[in-house]
Amino acid sequence: MLSPVLRSELSALEPEYTDADVISTVEFSQSGEFLATGDKGGRVVIFQREPQGEYNVYSTFQSHEPEFDCLKSLEIEEKINKIRWLPQINSTHFLLTTNDKTIKLWKVSERDKRPEGYNLKDEEGRMKDISRITSLQVPVLRPMDLLVEASPRRVFSNAHAYHINSISINSDCETYLSADDLRINLWNLNITDRSFNIVDLKPENMEDLSEVITVAEFHPHHCHLLAFSSSAGATRLCDMRSRALCDRPAKLFEESVDPAHRSFFSEITSSVSDVKFSHSGRYLLTRDYLTAKVWDINMENKPVEIYQVQDYLRSKLCALYESDCIFDKFECAWNGTDSVIMTGAYNNFFRMFDRASRRDVTLEASREVCKRRAVLRPRRVCVGKKRRENDISVDSLDFRKKILHTAWHPTDNIIAIAASNNLYIFQDRHGPGHHGGHQLEQDKPLQLQDTTRQ
């Protein structure tokens, strides 16, 4: 369980920022030693966990540049939509990054020695005059300051007609999937010029289109299973062993809307913005606009758990529709033991739900409250007029401040929260590796230690 007392290890980037500085994805590596963020400017920043527990900048590189599609007369943004780490085999790290159209495989490696004594080059790398070389020498390696290099190894492009919304590494460590609005493609990590289309929702007549793919993910253990969700509120589990084209799902997870509560906004709010397999592979966590649901993959008829994330917004749906906020896509995450789930909300709030006790807590990630040695108390959104201390009225919520991207360390109680251009890392006060039986409490303060990097 995640203890109610957390420590903010990092709040990154300056208060004044441009749109290019806004963080668009957050992802821990499989070991949790590294944390990668991508932003709308096409940059990737990798943080490494130090022995004392803090995450410090390890490497920064430009992953994507703005492009222009001459055939369609469309600008392709450099924004990083997703980052996925490959399992680490040796000291070198590999990760996939994608914008709307192009996926890149990056190699991140360290170098602390440099070769000296080349026969055909001088110390500055210029070619020598071969006619003046009178003897041969053996190059030697000399120590140098540690240098972290990021180099693109492969580029996977020209396979999607629509914007790529998700990528997922398969458990076989040889293939991965990429999904856009209507299709899901299967790639081999070593082959860049072709992929296999495994899901195709495009109708013959586009006027018959009823839903689009919003997110797709491979099962963590079974390489033949994948799940994808749609704007219609359905999540499909597909088995690649049954058919080459997974147009008929093995299982369909969909909760019907009560006709008595159906409204103009029901179809929009039921769109699934994120889906995550539990670490065990037994459950699926889906997030729509108002709720988070946990599904048992062996039971299709209804979710086993439903969590009201921001039900208090039902009276605000008309205003949220007019401002386009109703189309925001919130992500969700499991903790390392699948006992707690986390997802974001407005006003820089993020919520955690304890599955065993059914208790929940609302916390705020902002510079105003994340000061050194400050006390962060759980927040509560109040619909009525009666309010307690630290409560906030639903009419006072700032919808420009939103927590869309979150990530949970794979084993330890460490979470990463992206709020516009700020990255917040919270760590359990009991330290790394602690998995005690602490419950989420509503009334205990959160003590924060903030190390802001300008």
Side-chain angles (χ1 to χ4, degrees), residues 3 20-21 94 158 186 190 282 308 331 357 381 425 451:
S3 168
D21 297 323
F94 291 91
N158 303 321
L186 179 67
N190 296 312
R282 172 72 182 273
Q308 300 296 334
E331 297 177 1
S357 66
V381 178
I425 297 178
T451 53

Side-chain angles (χ1 to χ4, degrees), residues 67-76:
E67 302 175 29
F68 186 77
D69 188 335
C70 298
L71 295 178
K72 297 183 179 180
S73 296
L74 292 175
E75 292 185 1
I76 302 174

Side-chain angles (χ1 to χ4, degrees), residues 109-176:
S109 57
E110 297 180 355
R111 186 154 61 92
D112 58 1
K113 294 181 176 62
R114 62 182 176 189
E116 293 182 358
Y118 283 110
N119 289 288
L120 302 180
K121 298 179 181 179
D122 59 20
E123 297 302 326
E124 297 180 358
R126 294 173 299 193
M127 296 299 296
K128 295 180 180 179
D129 185 353
I130 298 179
S131 62
R132 296 186 178 182
I133 298 177
T134 58
S135 62
L136 296 179
Q137 56 185 342
V138 179
V140 295
L141 294 175
R142 303 291 187 192
M144 59 175 286
D145 293 337
L146 179 64
L147 176 65
V148 180
E149 296 177 315
S151 56
R153 298 305 301 268
R154 295 181 181 89
V155 178
F156 307 86
S157 59
N158 303 321
H160 286 276
Y162 306 95
H163 292 173
I164 299 171
N165 55 49
S166 54
I167 52 178
S168 179
I169 308 293
N170 201 346
S171 59
D172 62 12
C173 300
E174 294 181 359
T175 57
Y176 73 93

Side-chain angles (χ1 to χ4, degrees), residues 2-6 376 429 438-441 444-447:
L2 188 69
S3 168
V5 180
L6 308 172
L376 176 64
R429 63 172 176 176
H438 297 277
Q439 303 295 317
L440 294 174
E441 299 289 347
K444 288 188 178 181
L446 294 170
Q447 300 190 3

Side-chain angles (χ1 to χ4, degrees), residues 263-323:
S263 68
F264 171 78
F265 305 108
S266 297
E267 184 175 343
I268 302 175
T269 57
S270 64
S271 175
V272 179
S273 59
D274 196 17
V275 61
K276 290 286 195 311
F277 277 100
S278 62
H279 293 82
S280 67
R282 172 72 182 273
Y283 300 99
L284 277 169
L285 171 61
T286 62
R287 170 70 205 268
D288 56 45
Y289 192 68
L290 299 176
T291 67
K293 300 181 177 72
V294 176
W295 302 79
D296 188 324
I297 64 172
N298 297 319
M299 189 174 75
E300 301 174 67
N301 59 334
K302 63 179 181 179
V304 293
E305 300 160 25
I306 300 178
Y307 301 97
Q308 300 296 334
V309 178
Q310 43 189 11
D311 193 60
Y312 46 77
L313 294 181
R314 290 190 182 275
S315 62
K316 301 291 182 182
L317 293 180
C318 185
L320 292 167
Y321 177 79
E322 293 177 352
S323 65

Side-chain angles (χ1 to χ4, degrees), residues 359-413:
R359 302 194 69 169
D360 63 88
V361 64
T362 301
L363 307 173
E364 182 179 359
S366 66
R367 286 181 172 272
E368 290 73 19
V369 296
C370 291
K371 302 296 183 182
R372 182 177 293 274
R373 301 301 179 186
V375 174
L376 176 64
R377 294 183 179 276
R379 306 299 300 273
R380 190 172 73 99
V381 178
C382 180
V383 179
K385 295 183 179 180
K386 292 184 178 180
R387 286 191 293 169
R388 297 179 301 182
E389 185 182 3
N390 291 316
D391 282 3
I392 182 170
S393 169
V394 67
D395 297 320
S396 302
L397 294 176
D398 189 343
F399 296 105
R400 297 169 300 176
K401 298 179 179 180
K402 59 194 77 173
I403 304 295
L404 301 178
H405 312 290
T406 60
W408 208 311
H409 191 285
T411 56
D412 296 341
N413 286 328

